[in-house]
Amino acid sequence: MRSSELAAAAGVNLQTLRYYERRGLLDEPARSLGGHRMYPAEAVTTLRVIKAAQRLGFTLAEVSELLNTARHRHALGEGVGLQARARDKLADVEAKIADLTVIAGTLRAGIAAGCDDLQTCAGNPDCPLPFAELGDTHGGRV
């Protein structure tokens, strides 16, 4: 299939397709006699896997490593497969969720306290927003 057909089938644009080729995420395709790139049908699956992995929070570098591991199954070792990477990514996501939960709670408290002015709120000892803690992280200097 040609570049435009592959891009349409996988739901990406041509620039994304070329970028993934340059990054080595997608194998360089064969060329037709006229010089057109001709991709195998499996390239659609590869592109969909890349996009799905990105939606799960994997970086392109991480996706590249996972694809390379799958291509070179003889290189499998402890900590290089999808299971280990997924566990690590899940831990990162859960840590971010915990941080965002604290942030959301603090913002809700600020809204409930009626904090309309940052200067006034920061000067109020009952302010629920963590201005004092932020100032303390710099050794008392702001």
Side-chain angles (χ1 to χ4, degrees), residues 25-27 42-51 67 71:
L25 294 163
L26 193 61
D27 292 333
E42 304 84 51
V44 174
T45 302
T46 301
L47 287 170
R48 289 180 178 162
V49 165
I50 293 167
K51 297 311 284 180
L67 290 173
R71 289 179 186 135

Side-chain angles (χ1 to χ4, degrees), residues 4 11 22 31 42 59 71 79 83 93 100 112 127:
S4 59
R22 286 193 306 273
R31 299 270 183 165
E42 304 84 51
T59 66
R71 289 179 186 135
Q83 287 289 315
V93 168
L100 289 172
C127 176

Side-chain angles (χ1 to χ4, degrees), residues 79-124:
V80 296
L82 179 59
Q83 287 289 315
R85 296 293 176 96
R87 275 190 222 89
D88 291 345
K89 189 58 63 180
L90 179 59
D92 291 345
V93 168
E94 288 173 340
K96 288 178 186 175
I97 289 170
D99 289 345
L100 289 172
T101 300
V102 170
I103 291 169
T106 303
L107 290 171
R108 282 187 194 97
I111 291 167
C115 296
D116 284 332
D117 178 320
L118 289 177
Q119 292 287 21
T120 304
C121 190
N124 180 348

Side-chain angles (χ1 to χ4, degrees), residues 57-74:
F58 288 98
T59 66
L60 284 179
E62 291 168 330
V63 173
S64 179
E65 290 172 11
L66 288 169
L67 290 173
N68 286 334
T69 298
R71 289 179 186 135
H72 304 91
R73 293 195 185 275
H74 65 278

